[in-house]
Amino acid sequence: QSMYTYKGEFTKSHEISMYLKTSIKRHDDAYKRLAELHPYECPAIITINTEHAHPAFAHWVKEQTDVVA
Protein backbone atom coordinates (compact mmCIF):
# COMPACT_ATOMS: atom_id res chain seq x y z
CA GLN A 1 0.00 0.00 0.00
CA SER A 2 1.49 3.33 -1.03
CA MET A 3 0.44 6.65 0.43
CA TYR A 4 1.55 9.91 -1.09
CA THR A 5 0.52 13.42 -1.99
CA TYR A 6 0.59 14.31 -5.67
CA LYS A 7 -0.75 17.50 -7.21
CA GLY A 8 -2.17 18.48 -3.84
CA GLU A 9 -4.19 15.30 -3.34
CA PHE A 10 -3.53 12.57 -0.79
CA THR A 11 -3.65 9.14 -2.42
CA LYS A 12 -3.56 5.53 -1.26
CA SER A 13 -2.91 2.95 -3.94
CA HIS A 14 -1.43 -0.47 -4.50
CA GLU A 15 1.95 -0.28 -6.16
CA ILE A 16 4.57 -2.88 -6.97
CA SER A 17 8.28 -2.19 -6.51
CA MET A 18 10.51 -3.65 -9.16
CA TYR A 19 14.29 -4.00 -9.32
CA LEU A 20 15.89 -4.43 -12.73
CA LYS A 21 19.54 -5.05 -13.39
CA THR A 22 21.33 -3.91 -16.52
CA SER A 23 24.72 -2.70 -17.66
CA ILE A 24 25.77 0.93 -17.92
CA LYS A 25 25.87 0.42 -21.68
CA ARG A 26 22.15 -0.48 -21.77
CA HIS A 27 20.98 1.83 -18.98
CA ASP A 28 19.72 4.73 -21.10
CA ASP A 29 17.63 2.50 -23.37
CA ALA A 30 16.13 0.66 -20.39
CA TYR A 31 15.38 3.91 -18.56
CA LYS A 32 13.70 5.43 -21.61
CA ARG A 33 11.59 2.33 -22.24
CA LEU A 34 10.48 2.09 -18.60
CA ALA A 35 9.40 5.73 -18.66
CA GLU A 36 7.42 5.12 -21.88
CA LEU A 37 5.64 2.07 -20.44
CA HIS A 38 4.97 3.39 -16.95
CA PRO A 39 1.40 4.65 -16.44
CA TYR A 40 2.42 7.42 -14.03
CA GLU A 41 3.17 10.94 -15.18
CA CYS A 42 5.95 11.04 -12.55
CA PRO A 43 7.34 7.49 -12.22
CA ALA A 44 9.90 6.66 -9.53
CA ILE A 45 12.60 5.28 -11.82
CA ILE A 46 15.80 5.31 -9.79
CA THR A 47 19.29 4.23 -10.80
CA ILE A 48 21.64 2.71 -8.25
CA ASN A 49 25.28 3.02 -9.25
CA THR A 50 26.97 -0.35 -8.85
CA GLU A 51 30.50 0.91 -9.37
CA HIS A 52 31.53 -0.91 -6.18
CA ALA A 53 29.49 -4.08 -6.73
CA HIS A 54 30.89 -7.48 -5.80
CA PRO A 55 33.06 -8.54 -8.78
CA ALA A 56 31.16 -11.80 -9.32
CA PHE A 57 27.84 -9.92 -9.42
CA ALA A 58 29.21 -7.28 -11.80
CA HIS A 59 30.50 -10.04 -14.07
CA TRP A 60 27.11 -11.81 -14.00
CA VAL A 61 25.25 -8.61 -14.94
CA LYS A 62 27.67 -8.01 -17.80
CA GLU A 63 27.16 -11.56 -19.10
CA GLN A 64 23.38 -11.27 -18.85
CA THR A 65 23.15 -7.94 -20.63
CA ASP A 66 25.66 -8.38 -23.45
CA VAL A 67 23.91 -8.46 -26.81
CA VAL A 68 24.54 -11.65 -28.76
CA ALA A 69 24.80 -11.04 -32.50
Side-chain angles (χ1 to χ4, degrees), residues 29-64:
D29 289 338
Y31 187 97
K32 180 180 175 186
R33 186 66 177 140
L34 284 169
E36 289 171 354
L37 294 172
H38 202 289
Y40 286 5
E41 194 177 298
C42 182
I45 301 172
I46 301 165
T47 300
I48 299 172
N49 184 337
T50 58
E51 182 179 323
H52 299 290
H54 188 279
F57 175 74
H59 178 73
W60 176 82
V61 170
K62 183 178 182 331
E63 282 184 333
Q64 297 299 309

